[in-house]
Amino acid sequence: MVSVDDFRRKAAEAIADARMQGALERATAKFREGRTRALAELPDADALRDHFKRVRAATLARLAEHLETFEQNALAAGAQVHWCETAEDAARLITALAAQHGARLAVKSKSMTTEEIHLNHALEAANVQPVETDLGEWIIQLAHEPPSHIIGPAIHKTREQVAALFSREVGRPLPPDDVGVLTAEARRLLREKFLAAGIGISGVNVAVAETGSVVLVTNEGNGRMVTSVPPVHVAVMGIEKIVPTWRDAAAWLALLARSATGQPMSIYTSVITGPARAEDPDGPREVHIVILDNGRSRALASPFEEALQCIRCGACLNVCPVYREAGGHAYGNPYSGPIGAIVAPLLFGVEAMSGLPQASTLCGACLDVCPARIDIPRMLLEWRAVEVERRLVPWYERVGERLAAWVLAHPRLLRLVRRLAATGQRLFLRDGQIRLPGRWHPAGERDLPALASRPFRDWWRENA
Amino acid sequence: MQRVALFVTCLVDQVMPEIGIATVRLLRAAGCEVVFPEAQTCCGQPFFNSGFRPEARRLAERTIAAFEPFDAVVAPSGSCTTMLRVEYPHLLGDRPGWAHRARELAAKTYELSEFLTQVLDWDPPRRVAGVRVAYHDSCHMCRLLGLREPPRDALRRAGYDLVEMQEPDRCCGFGGLFSVRMPEVSNAMTAEKLAQATDTGAHVLATADPGCLMQMRGLARERVRIEHIATLLAASLEA
Ligand code: SF4
């Protein structure tokens, strides 16, 4: 549940946390600058984005067909394909796979989708220990926290906090100012996990229908370990993560890395097409691909279809002025920021996520940077209209808005209401603004403007 | 002489009439005949942005009817101009009879600085000098209308020294009802904006939106003077 009040409360905590604010501001600034620079390097970034938007829209228009082609080709390559309608189906299936292979330890690589289906809880309940191997994911796992950014899950943590978490894990103090030592320790610890794991679980950045391949990008190389060291690899993908051809996948990957971190390409790009063949020196014996719906198909042919064009680059989060203050935890689900405010109501129900479409000033910065040019502000407006229709906004707001609209449509009435309000406000005037006593304050510290002593229309009558 | 209908916006009418008065002076000084259709009230944006579509539609239809007889409509507000120009055709797009009228209004509606610089090629007496002004790009104006240059151009024409903030188009935190629903986030955003503005050493922070103005003044208190471009531009006529 994330109501307006829930969002407010968690955001206020983040705002009061100066360290978190500093970390958020630094990290998002770095990503923003990187993105701007990387896109400027392309000969025509805007044309590529237009092209990409068309590719995404065309793919979604024939989604079922592409998924079926993908399945056929993945099966032909020796992978096993599972279709899961709900989060529970998927979590149950993956836990069963782990049990079937007697896995006690599961290594994981960057996957918001497994967060979405609460896979770690399910695994733990079945006595399988999940270990996140993406550095950021591992940090927040050690801190027992949810991710706060789509691509930088630990974006809100300072180096000192990370050093403290790692020190606790290795049982001796590690220097906060030496990133080299910290990463070397992490690598050593995680290597042990890779070798001991019975199953590797990853997300999917993009799936390619023409060869039945799944593609995974990482910057740390943990992705290729997760998908090749354990005997079984499970890849979890939302139904929307698909392109027809490799040419389309190339556009996807070029825009993803540039929009996310400002890299021309991620450091590691792993392509998995079925399990290891007889002649392969290594690789998993079994590859399972989980195709997850979990509410996504409801968006098809709805005003929210565009949301499925998202490639989870996080660019919209980095520019979002609300996200930059509130941080990712305020969104109360794995998908934070502007796109999270659209996607979370889709996946978890707008009743449960009613606060998120309200957590925006509709400034449009997200639309400016999105590589797929997803019109997030327009969909926020759509969600708000749905919330009004389903009576998810408090009754006093509904009454207030309707009353206000009615008064505004009747100039004579407006004149009367205005006169009453102008008299009432005198009690609270200070320096021409209204300053309300502390706990009545609807706007926090902010002063409210006073009604003018004479409206414009009165001036006009005399000066026309 | 060009005949211009003034869309003064509800906030200006009720709270900041000086912006409307300055707008009238500017347009008159630039050689326009100004008309104020008194049937106008609110463009409906607050309702549209909160999801109250029927209410927004009713006010949109009222506004269209009020401005239909005129050749040009000018508003001293980037976001209300956006409502008329971009959102009305969406909002009324599937209403028989109204869709066409909404598009007609959209095609002849201008934001003040845009109208002054791009339609009238305004050439003021430039009576201000030595005043450093930072300009805050309001979101709808710069992103949905693509108007970044006209307000800057107008301020320069009036004689102001323009200085740029670090992120001139970072949202000021207003967002209509958002500022009341989530005051903590809203105020934190405003505080960032004000910090970036004061960093420039500007004497005045200017904006083309009464909403942003109200929001920023609410938190600025003595720290920095915040003005609407209309009142700043009008100052170049008098002084
Ligand atoms: S909505 Fe666009 S910018 Fe945001 S994460 Fe998705 S693809 Fe990236």
Side-chain angles (χ1 to χ4, degrees):
Chain A
M1 274 290 288
V2 187
S3 65
V4 167
D5 287 338
D6 297 328
F7 190 93
R8 251 187 93 170
R9 205 170 334 102
K10 285 209 208 146
E13 279 169 28
I15 289 164
D17 184 341
R19 278 210 295 186
M20 184 192 280
Q21 288 290 308
L24 256 175
E25 189 57 48
R26 275 192 302 277
T28 53
K30 203 181 90 193
F31 285 146
R32 282 197 307 277
E33 284 153 23
R35 174 199 170 269
T36 309
R37 197 174 356 87
L39 273 134
E41 280 165 8
L42 289 176
D44 196 346
D46 283 340
L48 179 58
R49 289 167 67 198
D50 290 337
H51 164 76
F52 188 57
K53 184 186 173 89
R54 282 194 301 272
V55 167
R56 292 295 286 141
T59 307
L60 290 174
R62 291 163 60 189
L63 186 62
E65 207 176 295
H66 295 304
L67 284 170
E68 275 159 30
T69 311
F70 171 80
E71 180 184 32
Q72 280 164 18
N73 291 328
L75 290 174
Q80 300 178 49
V81 179
H82 313 268
W83 300 79
C84 291
E85 181 124 3
T86 65
E88 294 73 36
D89 293 347
R92 209 177 308 120
L93 176 97
I94 299 166
T95 322
L97 283 172
Q100 202 182 308
H101 290 88
R104 286 270 149 268
L105 180 66
V107 281
K108 295 180 63 205
S109 168
K110 182 106 102 204
S111 167
M112 298 308 284
T113 323
T114 63
E115 279 290 328
E116 175 189 329
I117 63 175
H118 302 294
L119 183 59
N120 287 4
H121 283 302
L123 289 171
E124 275 160 11
N127 261 323
V128 184
Q129 192 205 349
V131 177
E132 300 293 344
T133 65
D134 174 86
L135 207 50
E137 300 266 354
W138 194 47
I139 291 166
I140 57 166
Q141 190 180 32
L142 293 179
H144 305 291
E145 277 180 28
S148 86
H149 188 283
I150 299 175
I151 62 145
I155 196 171
H156 58 296
K157 292 262 177 246
T158 61
R159 203 190 300 157
E160 289 71 25
Q161 290 170 319
V162 173
L165 286 169
F166 281 10
S167 303
R168 205 185 61 199
E169 195 59 19
V170 299
R172 65 189 160 80
L174 296 174
D177 42 6
D178 194 336
V179 180
V181 171
L182 291 176
T183 41
E185 277 301 323
R187 182 174 299 132
R188 190 180 58 76
L189 280 167
L190 289 173
R191 287 269 147 111
E192 288 168 11
K193 308 283 187 193
F194 287 125
L195 292 170
I199 190 168
I201 302 167
S202 76
V204 170
N205 286 99
V206 51
V208 188
E210 68 177 344
T211 54
S213 312
V214 295
V215 184
L216 195 64
V217 298
T218 63
N219 274 326
E220 297 154 23
N222 58 318
R224 62 192 176 132
M225 309 287 265
V226 163
T227 57
S228 62
V229 179
V232 180
H233 168 216
V234 181
V236 192
M237 62 181 265
I239 53 170
E240 80 284 14
K241 291 285 187 78
I242 191 147
V243 286
T245 67
W246 275 101
R247 179 185 280 274
D248 303 328
W252 183 308
L253 295 175
L255 281 170
L256 174 63
R258 286 191 159 88
S259 306
T261 51
Q263 294 164 294
M265 200 73 190
S266 296
I267 310 278
Y268 297 91
T269 304
S270 308
V271 178
I272 298 114
T273 314
R277 287 142 189 85
E279 67 275 18
D280 290 342
D282 53 19
R285 289 193 310 271
E286 285 181 20
V287 167
H288 297 264
I289 301 170
V290 178
I291 301 178
L292 178 72
D293 184 338
N294 199 29
R296 287 166 174 77
S297 58
R298 278 201 300 265
L300 291 168
S302 85
F304 305 103
E305 177 167 313
E306 250 189 48
L308 299 181
Q309 295 178 13
C310 174
I311 60 171
R312 311 267 185 264
C313 70
C316 58
L317 280 65
N318 301 327
V319 296
C320 176
V322 173
Y323 175 88
R324 283 162 71 182
E325 303 295 343
H329 291 161
Y331 292 80
N333 83 94
Y335 301 110
S336 53
I339 189 63
I342 308 292
V343 166
L346 269 177
L347 302 184
F348 311 111
V350 64
E351 288 77 9
M353 293 289 156
S354 62
L356 298 186
Q358 307 294 343
S360 168
T361 60
L362 304 173
C363 81
C366 46
L367 172 58
D368 254 12
V369 297
C370 176
R373 295 200 193 279
I374 297 171
D375 197 343
I376 296 171
R378 192 147 299 281
M379 288 188 285
L380 287 170
L381 285 169
E382 287 294 334
W383 273 133
R384 290 180 183 183
V386 170
E387 291 191 356
V388 171
E389 255 164 47
R390 298 200 196 160
R391 299 172 162 250
L392 296 172
V393 293
W395 67 268
Y396 49 84
E397 265 182 35
R398 289 203 309 272
V399 172
E401 293 260 359
R402 292 197 172 127
L403 210 61
W406 190 61
V407 170
L408 282 165
H410 296 85
R412 287 240 198 93
L413 192 58
L414 180 61
R415 205 169 264 276
L416 180 71
V417 170
R418 180 203 157 72
R419 214 167 290 150
L420 291 175
T423 314
Q425 75 180 6
R426 285 198 206 133
L427 285 168
F428 306 104
L429 278 187
R430 197 152 349 137
D431 302 335
Q433 306 233 80
I434 298 177
R435 208 169 285 178
L436 290 176
R439 70 197 168 81
W440 293 8
H441 230 306
E445 291 300 294
R446 202 183 330 126
D447 295 340
L448 300 171
L451 287 168
S453 54
R454 215 165 56 137
F456 174 84
R457 55 186 74 229
D458 289 3
W459 177 88
W460 177 261
R461 291 215 167 135
E462 287 158 32
N463 296 274
Chain B
M1 189 151 81
Q2 183 139 12
R3 196 150 162 267
V4 179
L6 179 63
F7 180 63
V8 80
T9 94
C10 52
L11 201 53
V12 169
D13 182 24
Q14 300 296 323
V15 177
M16 296 176 265
E18 66 281 3
I19 295 173
I21 297 169
T23 305
V24 173
R25 297 215 164 110
L26 281 163
L27 290 170
R28 282 185 181 156
C32 296
E33 183 198 339
V34 184
V35 201
F36 175 73
E38 292 200 37
Q40 63 175 292
T41 50
C42 165
C43 66
Q45 182 175 210
F47 308 95
F48 179 64
N49 283 355
S50 328
F52 290 80
R53 297 257 165 103
E55 286 73 16
R57 250 180 233 125
R58 226 165 293 135
L59 286 164
E61 289 170 2
R62 249 193 95 82
T63 308
I64 292 174
F67 285 95
E68 232 153 21
F70 306 97
D71 298 332
V73 180
V74 174
S77 160
S79 66
C80 299
T81 305
T82 305
M83 186 68 192
L84 268 59
R85 205 147 101 182
V86 182
E87 304 299 358
Y88 278 10
H90 270 289
L91 186 62
L92 301 171
D94 56 359
R95 306 235 131 179
W98 284 104
H100 174 70
R101 294 166 76 181
R103 279 196 303 273
E104 298 244 292
L105 177 66
K108 63 181 184 194
T109 301
Y110 301 88
E111 181 276 331
L112 173 65
S113 66
E114 174 190 32
F115 191 72
L116 284 175
T117 62
Q118 298 189 343
V119 178
L120 301 179
D121 195 14
W122 186 54
D123 186 17
R126 280 179 155 261
R127 297 240 169 81
V128 287
V131 183
R132 267 205 308 279
V133 176
Y135 175 74
H136 157 66
D137 286 280
S138 57
C139 299
H140 288 168
M141 175 132 154
C142 75
R143 298 212 180 80
L144 289 172
L145 298 179
L147 297 177
R148 289 173 196 260
E149 195 41 35
R152 291 182 168 80
D153 186 15
L155 286 167
R156 272 191 228 104
R157 287 181 189 217
Y160 290 101
D161 292 339
L162 210 63
V163 290
E164 288 293 337
M165 301 184 250
Q166 215 184 7
E167 295 177 274
D169 63 356
R170 178 170 182 171
C171 178
C172 72
F174 178 49
L177 256 199
F178 170 83
S179 66
V180 185
R181 284 203 173 112
M182 302 194 174
E184 295 84 2
V185 189
S186 172
N187 290 355
M189 290 164 70
T190 312
E192 286 286 351
K193 187 88 227 177
L194 294 172
Q196 291 188 339
T198 39
D199 278 352
T200 61
H203 303 118
V204 186
L205 174 58
T207 172
D209 254 288
C212 306
L213 182 73
M214 171 173 90
Q215 173 78 13
M216 295 189 292
R217 271 194 190 157
L219 214 61
R221 305 228 169 129
E222 299 74 45
R223 271 191 291 167
V224 53
R225 212 179 111 206
I226 302 162
E227 294 290 343
H228 192 275
I229 52 167
T231 46
L232 289 176
L233 298 178
S236 84
L237 305 174
E238 292 146 24

mmCIF file of all heavy atoms in Angstrom, chain A residues 52 150 259 307 309-317 338-339 366 369-374 376, ligand 1:
data_model
loop_
_atom_site.group_PDB
_atom_site.id
_atom_site.type_symbol
_atom_site.label_atom_id
_atom_site.label_comp_id
_atom_site.label_asym_id
_atom_site.label_seq_id
_atom_site.Cartn_x
_atom_site.Cartn_y
_atom_site.Cartn_z
ATOM 1 N N PHE A 52 13.343 4.136 -32.184
ATOM 2 C CA PHE A 52 13.185 3.153 -31.128
ATOM 3 C C PHE A 52 11.757 3.127 -30.588
ATOM 4 O O PHE A 52 11.193 2.061 -30.331
ATOM 5 C CB PHE A 52 14.177 3.448 -29.997
ATOM 6 C CG PHE A 52 14.219 2.382 -28.950
ATOM 7 C CD1 PHE A 52 14.517 1.071 -29.292
ATOM 8 C CD2 PHE A 52 13.944 2.674 -27.621
ATOM 9 C CE1 PHE A 52 14.549 0.066 -28.329
ATOM 10 C CE2 PHE A 52 13.970 1.682 -26.657
ATOM 11 C CZ PHE A 52 14.272 0.378 -27.009
ATOM 12 N N ILE A 150 16.138 1.928 -10.243
ATOM 13 C CA ILE A 150 16.049 0.799 -11.155
ATOM 14 C C ILE A 150 17.419 0.276 -11.552
ATOM 15 O O ILE A 150 17.646 -0.922 -11.629
ATOM 16 C CB ILE A 150 15.249 1.182 -12.430
ATOM 17 C CG1 ILE A 150 13.838 1.590 -12.045
ATOM 18 C CG2 ILE A 150 15.194 0.011 -13.398
ATOM 19 C CD1 ILE A 150 13.018 2.100 -13.216
ATOM 20 N N SER A 259 21.496 5.905 -21.815
ATOM 21 C CA SER A 259 20.505 6.609 -21.003
ATOM 22 C C SER A 259 20.686 6.318 -19.520
ATOM 23 O O SER A 259 20.355 7.135 -18.679
ATOM 24 C CB SER A 259 19.093 6.198 -21.413
ATOM 25 O OG SER A 259 18.905 6.384 -22.785
ATOM 26 N N ALA A 307 3.503 2.401 -21.349
ATOM 27 C CA ALA A 307 4.376 2.103 -20.212
ATOM 28 C C ALA A 307 5.178 0.834 -20.461
ATOM 29 O O ALA A 307 6.278 0.657 -19.934
ATOM 30 C CB ALA A 307 3.551 1.961 -18.937
ATOM 31 N N GLN A 309 6.653 0.082 -23.038
ATOM 32 C CA GLN A 309 7.809 0.351 -23.900
ATOM 33 C C GLN A 309 9.074 0.620 -23.090
ATOM 34 O O GLN A 309 10.166 0.744 -23.637
ATOM 35 C CB GLN A 309 7.521 1.554 -24.804
ATOM 36 C CG GLN A 309 6.402 1.304 -25.793
ATOM 37 C CD GLN A 309 6.093 2.525 -26.650
ATOM 38 O OE1 GLN A 309 6.855 3.481 -26.677
ATOM 39 N NE2 GLN A 309 4.979 2.487 -27.347
ATOM 40 N N CYS A 310 8.912 0.717 -21.780
ATOM 41 C CA CYS A 310 10.042 1.068 -20.909
ATOM 42 C C CYS A 310 11.138 0.011 -20.967
ATOM 43 O O CYS A 310 10.875 -1.178 -20.963
ATOM 44 C CB CYS A 310 9.538 1.205 -19.478
ATOM 45 S SG CYS A 310 10.840 1.467 -18.273
ATOM 46 N N ILE A 311 12.397 0.477 -21.012
ATOM 47 C CA ILE A 311 13.518 -0.458 -20.994
ATOM 48 C C ILE A 311 14.281 -0.390 -19.669
ATOM 49 O O ILE A 311 15.385 -0.905 -19.554
ATOM 50 C CB ILE A 311 14.479 -0.222 -22.179
ATOM 51 C CG1 ILE A 311 15.066 1.195 -22.139
ATOM 52 C CG2 ILE A 311 13.745 -0.477 -23.507
ATOM 53 C CD1 ILE A 311 16.181 1.423 -23.164
ATOM 54 N N ARG A 312 13.693 0.263 -18.692
ATOM 55 C CA ARG A 312 14.277 0.321 -17.349
ATOM 56 C C ARG A 312 15.688 0.887 -17.344
ATOM 57 O O ARG A 312 16.600 0.283 -16.786
ATOM 58 C CB ARG A 312 14.313 -1.076 -16.704
ATOM 59 C CG ARG A 312 13.015 -1.839 -16.781
ATOM 60 C CD ARG A 312 12.152 -1.652 -15.567
ATOM 61 N NE ARG A 312 10.968 -2.497 -15.650
ATOM 62 C CZ ARG A 312 9.792 -2.084 -16.105
ATOM 63 N NH1 ARG A 312 9.637 -0.847 -16.546
ATOM 64 N NH2 ARG A 312 8.763 -2.897 -16.128
ATOM 65 N N CYS A 313 15.856 2.040 -17.970
ATOM 66 C CA CYS A 313 17.180 2.654 -17.991
ATOM 67 C C CYS A 313 17.375 3.580 -16.802
ATOM 68 O O CYS A 313 18.493 3.909 -16.441
ATOM 69 C CB CYS A 313 17.375 3.437 -19.285
ATOM 70 S SG CYS A 313 16.353 4.929 -19.377
ATOM 71 N N GLY A 314 16.275 4.031 -16.215
ATOM 72 C CA GLY A 314 16.384 4.885 -15.034
ATOM 73 C C GLY A 314 16.617 6.362 -15.330
ATOM 74 O O GLY A 314 16.716 7.164 -14.404
ATOM 75 N N ALA A 315 16.685 6.733 -16.602
ATOM 76 C CA ALA A 315 16.952 8.149 -16.925
ATOM 77 C C ALA A 315 15.877 9.062 -16.342
ATOM 78 O O ALA A 315 16.165 10.162 -15.870
ATOM 79 C CB ALA A 315 17.045 8.348 -18.431
ATOM 80 N N CYS A 316 14.630 8.582 -16.376
ATOM 81 C CA CYS A 316 13.539 9.425 -15.878
ATOM 82 C C CYS A 316 13.642 9.642 -14.365
ATOM 83 O O CYS A 316 13.232 10.679 -13.856
ATOM 84 C CB CYS A 316 12.179 8.837 -16.260
ATOM 85 S SG CYS A 316 11.880 7.168 -15.677
ATOM 86 N N LEU A 317 14.206 8.656 -13.661
ATOM 87 C CA LEU A 317 14.368 8.832 -12.214
ATOM 88 C C LEU A 317 15.393 9.925 -11.922
ATOM 89 O O LEU A 317 15.205 10.761 -11.050
ATOM 90 C CB LEU A 317 14.852 7.530 -11.557
ATOM 91 C CG LEU A 317 13.836 6.435 -11.255
ATOM 92 C CD1 LEU A 317 13.246 5.864 -12.527
ATOM 93 C CD2 LEU A 317 14.469 5.349 -10.421
ATOM 94 N N PRO A 338 9.278 8.286 -11.834
ATOM 95 C CA PRO A 338 8.110 8.574 -12.677
ATOM 96 C C PRO A 338 7.525 7.320 -13.333
ATOM 97 O O PRO A 338 6.314 7.117 -13.288
ATOM 98 C CB PRO A 338 8.670 9.515 -13.744
ATOM 99 C CG PRO A 338 9.900 10.100 -13.168
ATOM 100 C CD PRO A 338 10.459 9.105 -12.209
ATOM 101 N N ILE A 339 8.359 6.493 -13.909
ATOM 102 C CA ILE A 339 7.817 5.312 -14.580
ATOM 103 C C ILE A 339 7.251 4.344 -13.541
ATOM 104 O O ILE A 339 6.255 3.672 -13.795
ATOM 105 C CB ILE A 339 8.859 4.615 -15.493
ATOM 106 C CG1 ILE A 339 8.207 3.528 -16.350
ATOM 107 C CG2 ILE A 339 10.009 4.030 -14.700
ATOM 108 C CD1 ILE A 339 7.159 4.025 -17.336
ATOM 109 N N CYS A 366 10.795 13.879 -17.270
ATOM 110 C CA CYS A 366 10.931 12.453 -17.604
ATOM 111 C C CYS A 366 10.737 12.222 -19.100
ATOM 112 O O CYS A 366 11.486 11.482 -19.734
ATOM 113 C CB CYS A 366 9.948 11.616 -16.788
ATOM 114 S SG CYS A 366 8.273 12.283 -16.734
ATOM 115 N N VAL A 369 13.745 12.982 -21.378
ATOM 116 C CA VAL A 369 14.937 12.125 -21.445
ATOM 117 C C VAL A 369 14.654 10.688 -21.847
ATOM 118 O O VAL A 369 15.582 9.952 -22.174
ATOM 119 C CB VAL A 369 15.693 12.101 -20.097
ATOM 120 C CG1 VAL A 369 16.219 13.482 -19.749
ATOM 121 C CG2 VAL A 369 14.824 11.540 -18.984
ATOM 122 N N CYS A 370 13.415 10.276 -21.817
ATOM 123 C CA CYS A 370 13.128 8.856 -22.036
ATOM 124 C C CYS A 370 13.570 8.412 -23.433
ATOM 125 O O CYS A 370 13.172 9.003 -24.431
ATOM 126 C CB CYS A 370 11.643 8.580 -21.859
ATOM 127 S SG CYS A 370 11.218 6.872 -22.241
ATOM 128 N N PRO A 371 14.380 7.348 -23.513
ATOM 129 C CA PRO A 371 14.856 6.894 -24.823
ATOM 130 C C PRO A 371 13.720 6.380 -25.702
ATOM 131 O O PRO A 371 13.840 6.382 -26.917
ATOM 132 C CB PRO A 371 15.835 5.771 -24.476
ATOM 133 C CG PRO A 371 15.455 5.330 -23.103
ATOM 134 C CD PRO A 371 14.943 6.560 -22.409
ATOM 135 N N ALA A 372 12.622 5.947 -25.074
ATOM 136 C CA ALA A 372 11.488 5.469 -25.866
ATOM 137 C C ALA A 372 10.403 6.537 -25.957
ATOM 138 O O ALA A 372 9.304 6.260 -26.434
ATOM 139 C CB ALA A 372 10.924 4.191 -25.242
ATOM 140 N N ARG A 373 10.733 7.731 -25.488
ATOM 141 C CA ARG A 373 9.806 8.857 -25.508
ATOM 142 C C ARG A 373 8.427 8.482 -24.951
ATOM 143 O O ARG A 373 7.387 8.750 -25.576
ATOM 144 C CB ARG A 373 9.630 9.394 -26.921
ATOM 145 C CG ARG A 373 10.874 10.001 -27.520
ATOM 146 C CD ARG A 373 10.501 10.923 -28.660
ATOM 147 N NE ARG A 373 11.629 11.315 -29.475
ATOM 148 C CZ ARG A 373 12.491 12.284 -29.167
ATOM 149 N NH1 ARG A 373 12.374 12.926 -28.017
ATOM 150 N NH2 ARG A 373 13.460 12.590 -29.986
ATOM 151 N N ILE A 374 8.436 7.845 -23.811
ATOM 152 C CA ILE A 374 7.184 7.445 -23.179
ATOM 153 C C ILE A 374 6.551 8.675 -22.524
ATOM 154 O O ILE A 374 7.208 9.369 -21.745
ATOM 155 C CB ILE A 374 7.451 6.342 -22.133
ATOM 156 C CG1 ILE A 374 8.012 5.106 -22.836
ATOM 157 C CG2 ILE A 374 6.200 6.018 -21.341
ATOM 158 C CD1 ILE A 374 8.520 4.044 -21.895
ATOM 159 N N ILE A 376 5.051 9.894 -19.961
ATOM 160 C CA ILE A 376 4.714 9.608 -18.565
ATOM 161 C C ILE A 376 3.704 10.617 -17.998
ATOM 162 O O ILE A 376 2.727 10.213 -17.360
ATOM 163 C CB ILE A 376 5.991 9.542 -17.709
ATOM 164 C CG1 ILE A 376 6.853 8.366 -18.195
ATOM 165 C CG2 ILE A 376 5.669 9.392 -16.230
ATOM 166 C CD1 ILE A 376 8.228 8.319 -17.571
HETATM 167 S S1 SF4 C 1 10.323 5.289 -18.711
HETATM 168 FE FE1 SF4 C 1 11.891 5.761 -20.232
HETATM 169 S S2 SF4 C 1 13.445 6.895 -19.072
HETATM 170 FE FE2 SF4 C 1 12.166 5.873 -17.560
HETATM 171 S S3 SF4 C 1 13.222 3.943 -17.165
HETATM 172 FE FE3 SF4 C 1 11.725 3.546 -18.777
HETATM 173 S S4 SF4 C 1 12.826 3.790 -20.656
HETATM 174 FE FE4 SF4 C 1 14.068 4.746 -19.088
#
